[in-house]
Amino acid sequence: MLKFISGRFVVVIAVALTLSFITFFLLNVAIDPAQAVAGEEAEALEIEQVRQQYGFDRPILIRYFEWFKAVLTGDLGISYYWNKPVGSLLLERAPETITLALMSVLVTIFIAIPLGICAAINPNSVIDRMCLGVAVSFQAIPNFWLGLVMIIIFSVTFPIFPVSGDKTYFHFILPSIVLGASSVPPVMRLMRTGLLDVMEADYIRTARSNGFFGRKLILNHAMRNALLPVVSVLAVQLGHKFGGSVITESVFSINGLGRLALESILGADIPTVQILVFVFAFTFLILNLLADILNAYLDPRLR
Amino acid sequence: MILKTFIKRLVPRVLEDDISILSPKTVVLRKAIGHSGFKFGLLLFILIILLGILGPFFLDISPYQQDLDKRLLPPVWIEGGSWDHLLGTDGNGRDYLSRILSGTRISLTIGIGAALVGMIIGVTLGVIAGYFGGWIDQFVNYILTCQLALPGLLLAMTLVFLIGPSIPVVIIVIGCLHWTLFLVVTRSVTKRIVKLDFVSASNAIGATKLQIIMQDILPGIINQIIVIFTLEVGVAILAEASLSFLGVGIQPPTPSWGLLIAEGKEAIFFQPWLIVLPGIALFLLVVSINMLGDGLRDIMDPKSKLE
């Protein structure tokens, strides 16, 4: 088990290092940082001035190593746009995004798993078809539009929920439904096929012949194995939630990391964007690692 | 009905034998005719294309023409609407039907373009990894792991906005971030084909690697590529809409659906149709494409049964 974890951990670190370089490279070569800081209408002389002032004229590898060394010592750089250390910006904004991501995964769990079980218990029934229909349509609904329509229905026409903001947990209900809905189709499908596969297994037949049936059979025997892949997909989906928070947070005006990312991009604030891309990628990697470990722990065949 | 099931039960063997007599094309065609999801998706898709491409020629109102006296008119079925503007007008008095119809072309151009870019990257990497195997395969796998961890939307926003938002930039950036599905499928199918006898035979008669890839492997993966391509068009259309909605994709006054929704956001309290209508257009287009893709997968799967 320890060998398995350490092996995976090495891969995570290697990927994280590669990604830090790729994002740094993309944001400094595909985009001219001096031009971005000076603005679109800037004169050539002005751009040149910015280039020297910020040190953009030095070789990219040297700048990468300097940046990397600073990040390792905890100095994430200074934001051009907010004129603040990027680290403190992150700490200010992170709680909102974490709340949103966790609540949206809860929404996914409470919608997708019961639907998947219902569909698997009665394959090819009306419920099954309806679940499939829901899955197909949810994949085609853009997240931001769902958010706006929810606001129109539940905040404007029937004023139940607040239109926007992040003051109380109540404010997070609509946004987390919107963000959670996008993960419902994959999780539901996996739950359904997983349960259908398990129900065919020999040990379920044995349990059946021993007199187990109905809810008891499914909850006590089948669910345990069918849930394994679902758990790891949920972890992956939680990772996606951080990246997906950009849209939901801007629709509902939540002051989290996603909104920070959008504002930083619009302000051409490369140091902040750089760190945010890396933070989202690293969160995703760590969640995946945790899912792998959890799966290996629950299923000894994987070790 | 009863007779049909009765016959099926009596002669299943004969029916199966029948398939082997039919040419592959006939089998696919028959499956397509029997697949209701595919038919519905295809019909809806053709309808949308006809509306989107031919529609603007029949409407004599330009999507850019402003008429400030007629701002925020409601659609014709709501009180105050008029037949001159079937879906009403936006905040600048531009005809909303005309704007939505011309948005179809933008969505389709970007969707198909980005899926093409993604296909070229993914299929190339996938064939190389599957054919050569070994450390090359491992290296490609590593690139895949890196790509999967990257926050795609965030990176796309940054690159498009800071390089300079225009249709070609949006196509290339979205395409460069959506190739993983092509890679995964192409690689696994290539690995399976490489082991087959006819590839060894080509090798034995002295075919070059490029010849083997082009003539033996690619024809074997084309079906899967078509299916993924279709589904990725839908994904790319949604990605473009998200970028434009956030203000970092297609820029005004071009009538991209995402942009229309963003502009409608200002009027969310009193003119909700400005948000709802382009969203429905987006939904219908993506649903039709997804149904088409799912249908194609069923139809082209040799294991699926002929009714």
Side-chain angles (χ1 to χ4, degrees):
Chain A
M1 187 71 182
L2 203 66
K3 207 177 157 196
F4 170 84
I5 295 176
S6 56
R8 285 296 160 96
F9 195 70
V10 170
V11 175
V12 166
I13 294 299
V15 172
L17 285 177
T18 317
L19 287 182
S20 76
F21 182 70
I22 291 174
T23 40
F24 192 89
F25 191 78
L26 275 178
L27 292 185
N28 286 283
V29 173
I31 299 159
D32 181 1
Q35 170 94 54
V37 172
E40 231 161 75
E41 292 92 27
E43 310 256 333
L45 194 71
E46 233 173 302
I47 295 175
E48 219 37 58
Q49 218 171 355
V50 170
R51 202 185 301 280
Q52 281 180 8
Q53 190 190 336
Y54 286 90
F56 293 140
D57 48 351
R58 290 171 307 142
I60 180 149
L61 273 178
I62 292 177
R63 276 163 51 212
Y64 172 70
F65 282 118
E66 276 178 9
W67 175 78
F68 189 69
K69 230 164 65 190
V71 168
L72 280 188
T73 56
D75 170 19
L76 303 185
I78 307 280
S79 149
Y80 305 151
Y81 181 69
W82 308 92
N83 265 324
K84 260 196 209 176
V86 177
S88 65
L89 268 176
L90 284 190
L91 289 180
E92 264 169 43
R93 305 287 195 104
E96 266 76 10
T97 303
I98 294 172
T99 314
L100 180 62
L102 289 177
M103 279 179 71
S104 67
V105 167
L106 279 183
V107 169
T108 308
I109 292 173
F110 281 119
I111 297 177
I113 290 184
L115 278 181
I117 295 173
C118 281
I121 294 174
N122 317 301
N124 293 324
S125 66
V126 182
I127 300 177
D128 190 18
R129 298 258 156 115
M130 258 171 54
C131 288
L132 199 71
V134 168
V136 169
S137 37
F138 265 82
Q139 269 170 342
I141 294 179
N143 224 281
F144 57 90
W145 187 66
L146 182 65
L148 291 172
V149 171
M150 295 277 257
I151 292 179
I152 292 174
I153 299 174
F154 295 109
S155 305
V156 178
T157 315
F158 307 101
I160 305 168
F161 294 103
V163 175
S164 61
D166 52 11
K167 288 200 183 65
T168 62
Y169 284 107
F170 196 59
H171 285 84
F172 280 95
I173 293 178
L174 277 190
S176 50
I177 291 174
V178 170
L179 193 53
S182 59
S183 307
V184 167
V187 175
M188 189 187 80
R189 281 188 178 180
L190 201 67
M191 187 72 239
R192 177 180 177 272
T193 50
L195 204 55
L196 279 177
D197 282 351
V198 169
M199 294 298 271
E200 307 258 302
D202 288 342
Y203 77 97
I204 292 293
R205 203 171 14 167
T206 314
R208 267 209 180 116
S209 63
N210 282 336
F212 285 100
F213 63 93
R215 193 186 295 165
K216 211 168 175 187
L217 174 80
I218 287 165
L219 291 182
N220 288 0
H221 293 80
M223 274 298 276
R224 196 172 289 188
N225 274 314
L227 269 179
L228 277 177
V230 174
V231 169
S232 59
V233 163
L234 277 175
V236 173
Q237 293 294 333
L238 181 61
H240 283 310
K241 294 292 165 236
F242 284 92
S245 65
V246 180
I247 290 178
T248 318
E249 286 181 6
S250 75
V251 169
F252 290 94
S253 307
I254 293 172
N255 256 326
L257 293 177
R259 195 129 175 264
L260 176 67
L262 180 62
E263 288 163 345
S264 309
I265 290 170
L266 293 175
D269 188 4
I270 290 174
T272 314
V273 175
Q274 210 155 271
I275 295 287
L276 278 172
V277 171
F278 185 66
V279 165
F280 285 153
F282 197 65
T283 319
F284 182 83
L285 284 172
I286 293 291
L287 285 171
N288 256 306
L289 178 70
L290 288 180
D292 280 349
I293 293 172
L294 188 67
N295 253 342
Y297 174 73
L298 292 173
D299 187 350
R301 282 170 300 180
L302 293 176
R303 265 176 246 164
Chain B
M1 194 62 200
I2 298 167
L3 191 71
K4 217 173 165 186
T5 37
F6 181 69
I7 291 174
K8 253 189 202 162
R9 213 170 273 169
L10 255 185
V11 285
R13 285 254 157 260
V14 179
L15 276 177
E16 264 170 37
D17 285 344
D18 209 7
I19 294 177
S20 62
I21 303 167
L22 297 171
S23 77
K25 256 187 199 156
T26 329
V27 173
V28 167
L29 208 66
R30 279 205 193 170
K31 277 186 195 166
I33 292 168
H35 197 292
S36 54
F38 175 76
K39 276 189 297 190
F40 182 77
L42 187 68
L43 227 91
L44 190 59
F45 185 65
I46 291 174
L47 193 74
I48 293 173
I49 290 206
L50 284 181
L51 275 175
I53 290 173
L54 298 180
F57 291 111
F58 290 102
L59 274 178
D60 48 356
I61 313 170
S62 143
Y64 300 104
Q65 186 193 321
Q66 300 189 3
D67 186 350
L68 293 177
D69 292 337
K70 291 184 180 168
R71 278 185 299 166
L72 297 171
L73 283 182
V76 67
W77 61 86
I78 296 176
E79 219 184 299
S82 79
W83 285 97
D84 295 341
H85 300 284
L86 273 181
L87 297 183
T89 55
D90 71 358
N92 288 320
R94 291 172 292 198
D95 183 59
Y96 219 44
L97 176 64
S98 167
R99 280 180 81 69
I100 290 179
L101 285 183
S102 30
T104 320
R105 260 185 288 183
I106 294 165
S107 277
L108 276 175
T109 315
I110 291 175
I112 293 172
L116 272 176
V117 173
M119 181 178 82
I120 292 169
I121 301 174
V123 171
T124 314
L125 284 177
V127 168
I128 290 175
Y131 181 74
F132 292 102
W135 69 269
I136 296 177
D137 187 27
Q138 303 231 311
F139 180 67
V140 171
N141 200 26
Y142 186 73
I143 300 177
L144 176 69
T145 319
C146 291
Q147 169 69 44
L148 286 176
L150 278 176
L153 177 69
L154 187 53
L155 211 56
M157 287 162 63
T158 316
L159 291 173
V160 170
F161 188 69
L162 295 181
I163 291 174
S166 65
I167 291 180
V169 173
V170 173
I171 289 176
I172 291 171
V173 168
I174 293 180
C176 287
L177 294 169
H178 288 91
W179 47 264
T180 49
L181 206 55
F182 285 110
L183 167 71
V184 173
V185 174
T186 316
R187 183 176 61 180
S188 73
V189 181
T190 309
K191 273 185 182 164
R192 214 169 55 218
I193 295 176
V194 165
K195 291 194 193 110
L196 296 178
D197 283 342
F198 69 89
V199 177
S200 323
S202 296
N203 224 344
I205 59 169
T208 61
K209 282 172 183 149
L210 192 67
Q211 275 173 330
I212 291 179
I213 287 175
M214 298 306 275
Q215 288 165 16
D216 294 344
I217 295 174
L218 277 185
I221 54 179
I222 198 94
N223 281 1
Q224 272 94 340
I225 294 177
I226 291 174
V227 172
I228 297 169
F229 179 81
T230 319
L231 296 172
E232 285 293 321
V233 171
V235 173
I237 287 175
L238 287 180
E240 180 273 324
S242 308
L243 288 181
S244 303
F245 171 75
L246 291 171
V248 293
I250 305 297
Q251 298 295 313
T254 316
S256 148
W257 288 338
L259 202 58
L260 293 188
I261 296 174
E263 288 168 355
K265 220 177 120 184
E266 313 291 318
I268 191 167
F269 290 104
F270 303 107
Q271 285 87 19
W273 63 83
L274 288 177
I275 292 171
V276 175
L277 292 174
I280 291 175
L282 196 52
F283 172 74
L284 287 179
L285 179 59
V286 178
V287 156
S288 76
I289 290 173
N290 284 352
M291 288 179 90
L292 209 61
D294 284 341
L296 280 174
R297 174 165 43 208
D298 293 347
I299 290 163
M300 289 178 170
D301 183 3
K303 275 176 261 165
S304 71
K305 291 203 180 76
L306 184 62
E307 288 291 323

